[in-house]
Amino acid sequence: MKIAIIGGTRGLGKWIASFLSNKGFDVVITGRNVATGESVSKKLGVDYTWDNIQVASTADVVIIAIPIDITPKIIREIAPLMKEGSLLLDVTSVKMEPSKVMQEYAAPGVEVLPTHPMFGPRIRSLDGQVVVLTPVKTGQWYDKVFKFLESENSRVIVTTPEIHDRMMSIVQGLTHFAYISIASTIKKLDIDVKVSRKFASPIYNLMLDTIARITAQNPYLVYSIQTKNSFIKEAHETFLETFVELKDMISKEDEKGFVREMSSAAKHLDDVESALGRSDKAISALTEELSILKNLVGQEVGLRHIYSGIVHIGILDELTPDYLIISQNNSTTQLKISNVEVINNDDLYKWKLKNYTQNSLDISAIFPESCDPEVISETIKKLDGVVDAEVIDTYCGNQIPAGKISVTIRYHFIDSMVVNEIERLLKGFGSQIR
């Protein structure tokens, strides 16, 4: 199956290209900048072309992942030229206009499926991620897409373009507008955010992280969402009216009115207990890595950087609420705790097997003749850092005392520190190493 991603050289389009390529699909990406396109295609292992029309006319699936303001234009250019039996979908944050244009311009026999992945390109998988489908009518491609998303553990929501845009006026339009307003207010008040965090409760830090995540997005994309969704104007106006009402209550010291309004709003949010539970989990997650790391000081740790994916392995030497220092091979590395995740022992071992060079050594030791060499071998195999171990020789001869046996074991390892540990283990068995 050939999947063309129009605008697959950056952002969500690039993420989709990487994701689908890793799933075994034949992916080709397009982008206006040839140098960038060729660089991205090489990195992702997909094909690249600058020609939207050519690739759209031959692909089985065309995914439009470009800025909202030019999406209708590109749909008008490529939709009439797509082959019969193919699928056209977009991944923009606004659905009413793209849906209308796709329905109007798609060639006969082309199925259209307006789609909105409710996530950005920083996620690692579709597990638990919301994907909204807004089909005007469904066909065979709809069932395939739905089942594929479910198989990837996505939360699939099916609705109309109108309902989608109405919900997004709140989910994106209102919240982004409010978050950006808060960030701008903090800036205008000349507040040192780092200092404010020192005074803050966990919920304030969580809120700041959420605001930072929103304001770090592409501002052109956020502006397009704010201006292209026809329902957002009403949300903005109602927000401003409510702000003024609450501000007047404070100015007039109208405690009764303020309490009534806040209590009414809380009741409307519904299931406050569940909301408190979810926010408690989020707050706990802020210090989860620190809690784990406190018990690992002085031990080897594996840490994966959540943005670059680089794995750091070393002895955890120092730990502060914000940073940690690990050492390996006479060098040290300082990492920000919020930017790393601790790799569990099983995953760290698998990573070492894949990335470290394996070595092997033979060791011979004299044991009582009644010993079981296979038990000794299996015990060595269970040591951390040992990949495998097997008995390669047993010997009773002139050089071996009576009642004794020499056992030679070959072990394969990825951590040289295990050599001394194996010698200590064998001596602990009462053996004499030859």
Side-chain angles (χ1 to χ4, degrees), residues 63-97:
I63 300 174
I64 299 178
I66 55 178
I68 297 170
D69 55 340
I70 62 172
T71 292
K73 175 179 179 292
I74 298 301
I75 292 173
R76 293 186 186 99
E77 290 178 357
I78 68 172
L81 304 175
M82 291 177 60
K83 66 182 184 180
E84 183 177 358
S86 60
L87 170 67
L88 173 64
L89 61 84
D90 77 305
V91 292
T92 59
S93 300
V94 178
K95 293 274 72 78
M96 287 175 62
E97 185 178 7

Side-chain angles (χ1 to χ4, degrees), residues 6 17 50 69 81 93 99 103 110 200 207 236 263 284 327 352 365:
I6 310 299
W50 58 268
D69 55 340
L81 304 175
S93 300
S99 175
Q103 292 290 336
V110 174
M207 183 196 71
H236 284 176
S263 300
S284 297
S327 62
K352 286 182 176 181

